[in-house]
Amino acid sequence: MADGVEDALAALAVIMVLIQLALLPKYLRLTFSLGFWSFTFPTANVAALAVAWLHFQRPWAGSSSR
C-alpha cells in the first residue's frame, strides 16, 4: 500500500511543478514584491524531495539496490 501512496504523492508533486512551469511567464512579468518569498518554500521543498528520492531510490542503479 505504501507504494501507491508514494506514487500518488510523487505524481502530485510533478503536476504541481508542471503548473508552476506553465505559470512562469506570468511570474516573470510581475514586479518584485515582498510576497515573492512565498515561492521559496514550495520550490525548496520539491527540490529537497527530489534529492532525497534520488538518494534513497537510486533509479539509475537498477532494481537490485532496494
Side-chain angles (χ1 to χ4, degrees), residues 42-60:
T43 304
N45 194 18
V46 168
L49 175 66
V51 169
W53 179 79
L54 289 172
H55 175 73
F56 290 115
Q57 294 296 323
R58 300 188 191 278
W60 60 87

Side-chain angles (χ1 to χ4, degrees), residues 9-59:
L9 289 174
L12 181 61
V14 168
I15 291 170
M16 291 172 63
V17 166
L18 291 175
I19 290 171
Q20 293 302 315
L21 288 175
L23 291 171
L24 191 60
K26 187 175 271 192
Y27 293 155
L28 293 174
R29 286 193 301 268
L30 296 173
T31 57
F32 184 77
S33 68
L34 188 59
F36 272 73
W37 73 267
S38 64
F39 295 113
T40 60
F41 177 75
T43 304
N45 194 18
V46 168
L49 175 66
V51 169
W53 179 79
L54 289 172
H55 175 73
F56 290 115
Q57 294 296 323
R58 300 188 191 278

